[in-house]
Amino acid sequence: MKLAVVGGGSTYTPELIDGFARMRDTLPITELVLVDPAADRLELVGGLARRIFARQGHDGRIVTTGDLDSGVEGADAVLLQLRVGGQAARDQDETWPLECGCVGQETTGAGGLAKALRTVPVVLDIAERVRRGNPDAWIIDFTNPVGIVTRALLQAGHKAVGLCNVAIGFQRKFARFLGVDPSDVHLDHVGLNHLTWEIAVRLGGPQGENVLPRLLAEHGAALADDLRLPSAPMDRLGVVPSYYLRYFYAHDEVVRELGSKPSRAAEVAAMERELLAMYGDPTLDEKPALLGKRGGAFYSEAAVDLAAGLLGGRPGAGSPYQVVNTYNNGTLPFLPDDAVVEVQAAIGARGAAPLPVAAVDPLYAGLISHVTAYEDLALEAALRGGRDRVFKALLAHPLVGQYTLADRLTDRLIAHNREHLAWA
């Protein structure tokens, strides 16, 4: 089995390699290709990747290359984890929206739109090159904003599934609180990428007992702490929102907080410099503890399970279900079929088939619908360009929603991203 990772020079990659090594029975990789144009980073990451495989007794071959076409040739699956513009572009996404009193964040709001505009054309070009040389390969998208990028891939006819680590993070946390194996925890996870709620937590599978009330009663304070939200909203609503709902439910508070400290991108850039120095140590043969602060917890397990399911194997958790991003196709009846939703799905060789979802409370359905409309316009702007399309997408976003604000944000977005926008 051959897998390729586009963006293989990322400091995230050793997390992925560690999972591939530990879960080799689930996903028996014979060749893993790390593809990245940044040769210096790729050499450091590739060296550590080989040492991790060797330490854990994995006999798969690890290849590094800057040549996309040769790297993906013959791959059974291609995992995308790229960041167009690097941490420098992310730093801008997180700062210029604050000048207008809006959240600066790389996956939602104005910053998230900027990332989508930079990313969608690049991902579609990569996917087309994969399809030309290898039409049967699955594309697993971990590149943010995952919902918009996955929708672009699916609309272009690619065999693609989007993946995020939010759900597996909740699954592992709930399992720890309950004292059970993670495979026993099934989430009723509903929404869009980075806009989701856990509306039930079931033991043993989709029809199992809902233990969410117990989790909230016994561990609500700890969950609220992790999410940096007061526990009262969770108690009143009886659900667990993803961390990203904080940008909606506590917008003004978050803006004040973000304006008072260095950007997350600046923190991550400093962390990456330290990680890359560690990766260059020829005695290091395991992922360093610092990588846990970089983000992406349990990313490798989620990726292994998804690839195993798509390629005809058995996910390591022993369950055919996984939370992924895929076409709605009637799952949430208030959305178009071609919207991309993040829900539990049965994973198999034909792709992801969403499980039925109970009627969604209007409180959540309204916001989901609103953000879906924004994503429609964001994708149109990413595919066709133009100031007016950018303005309309920003005006539609619930974190913007005022025409003077959308106008100012449009000017800043274009000014800060001109080198990445062919039409600007």
Side-chain angles (χ1 to χ4, degrees):
M1 180 185 294
K2 176 179 176 179
L3 263 67
V5 180
V6 179
S10 167
T11 54
Y12 266 140
T13 300
E15 161 69 25
L16 189 63
I17 299 298
D18 177 72
F20 286 160
R22 286 185 291 102
M23 302 173 71
R24 56 186 175 273
D25 292 338
T26 300
L27 193 68
I29 299 170
T30 54
E31 182 177 358
L32 176 63
V33 184
L34 306 181
V35 183
D36 203 297
D40 52 342
R41 293 171 64 108
L42 191 57
E43 181 181 355
L44 295 173
V45 173
L48 176 57
R50 294 185 186 99
R51 295 192 297 273
I52 291 173
F53 263 31
R55 175 187 173 125
Q56 300 200 31
H58 196 302
D59 59 3
R61 176 175 176 240
I62 295 180
V63 178
T64 58
T65 181
D67 184 335
L68 174 69
D69 296 317
S70 66
V72 302
E73 184 179 0
D76 297 285
V78 177
L79 198 150
L80 305 181
Q81 55 168 33
L82 55 146
R83 182 184 295 281
V84 179
Q87 293 298 332
R90 176 181 179 175
D91 184 67
Q92 293 181 355
D93 294 344
E94 293 176 343
T95 51
W96 55 261
L98 294 172
E99 298 168 6
C100 300
C102 292
V103 160
Q105 212 278 331
E106 65 160 343
T107 62
T108 193
L113 176 61
K115 192 171 196 301
L117 297 181
R118 293 193 304 268
T119 304
V120 165
V122 174
V123 166
L124 288 178
D125 177 65
I126 291 169
E128 191 54 43
R129 290 165 68 179
V130 171
R131 178 161 56 188
R132 282 201 302 266
N134 196 14
D136 293 327
W138 278 101
I139 294 176
I140 297 174
D141 176 54
F142 197 71
T143 297
N144 280 319
V146 167
I148 294 172
V149 173
T150 302
R151 186 168 181 181
L153 287 165
L154 290 172
Q155 285 189 351
H158 297 290
K159 292 175 61 178
V161 180
L163 183 63
C164 179
N165 69 323
V166 166
I168 194 172
F170 275 132
Q171 182 199 42
R172 300 304 172 89
K173 189 186 304 290
F174 296 155
R176 190 169 66 250
F177 286 152
L178 294 165
V180 300
D181 190 270
S183 63
D184 292 329
V185 176
H186 180 94
L187 305 178
D188 284 9
H189 178 104
V190 175
L192 312 176
N193 180 242
H194 289 186
L195 193 86
T196 52
W197 297 261
E198 310 308 324
I199 59 174
V201 177
R202 302 186 184 279
L203 288 181
Q207 306 304 318
E209 175 195 1
N210 179 17
V211 295
L212 181 55
R214 173 181 154 196
L215 282 166
L216 289 173
E218 296 178 3
H219 304 284
L223 286 168
D225 237 23
D226 284 350
L227 298 170
R228 301 185 63 196
L229 282 168
S231 55
M234 287 195 302
D235 292 339
R236 293 172 69 180
L237 299 175
V239 301
V240 178
S242 81
Y243 170 86
Y244 293 90
L245 265 299
R246 186 168 183 260
Y247 298 116
F248 295 82
Y249 290 166
H251 176 274
D252 295 351
E253 177 187 337
V254 172
V255 168
R256 288 192 295 271
E257 173 192 303
L258 293 175
S260 68
K261 62 180 184 178
S263 70
R264 172 64 176 165
E267 294 175 1
V268 169
M271 202 178 303
E272 286 195 332
R273 289 191 290 272
E274 190 174 349
L275 284 168
L276 288 169
M278 291 178 177
Y279 296 171
D281 178 356
T283 66
L284 182 68
D285 58 4
E286 60 184 345
K287 65 177 183 179
L290 178 62
L291 187 55
K293 298 180 180 179
R294 172 68 178 81
F298 308 116
Y299 158 42
S300 59
E301 285 91 337
V304 168
D305 279 352
L306 179 54
L310 293 172
L311 299 176
R314 186 74 170 167
S319 168
Y321 308 121
Q322 190 169 358
V323 173
V324 296
N325 287 260
T326 191
Y327 270 149
N328 178 45
N329 283 337
T331 307
L332 302 181
F334 52 89
L335 295 184
D337 283 348
D338 66 351
V340 165
V341 295
E342 186 171 289
V343 293
Q344 285 278 5
I347 308 299
R350 298 179 63 182
L355 302 186
V357 171
V360 178
D361 188 295
L363 178 62
Y364 317 124
L367 187 53
I368 292 169
S369 298
H370 195 160
V371 175
T372 297
Y374 151 75
E375 290 190 347
D376 289 347
L377 295 167
L379 183 53
E380 182 77 0
L383 294 173
R384 300 180 62 193
R387 188 189 189 283
D388 284 351
R389 293 188 181 93
V390 174
F391 168 79
K392 287 177 181 177
L394 286 168
L395 187 61
H397 201 292
L399 296 182
V400 180
Q402 301 177 61
Y403 72 88
T404 54
L405 195 51
D407 231 12
R408 292 164 59 201
L409 289 166
T410 299
D411 289 338
R412 283 168 170 78
L413 186 156
I414 294 172
H416 284 283
N417 290 275
R418 201 175 298 277
E419 66 180 295
H420 300 291
L421 306 176
W423 51 267

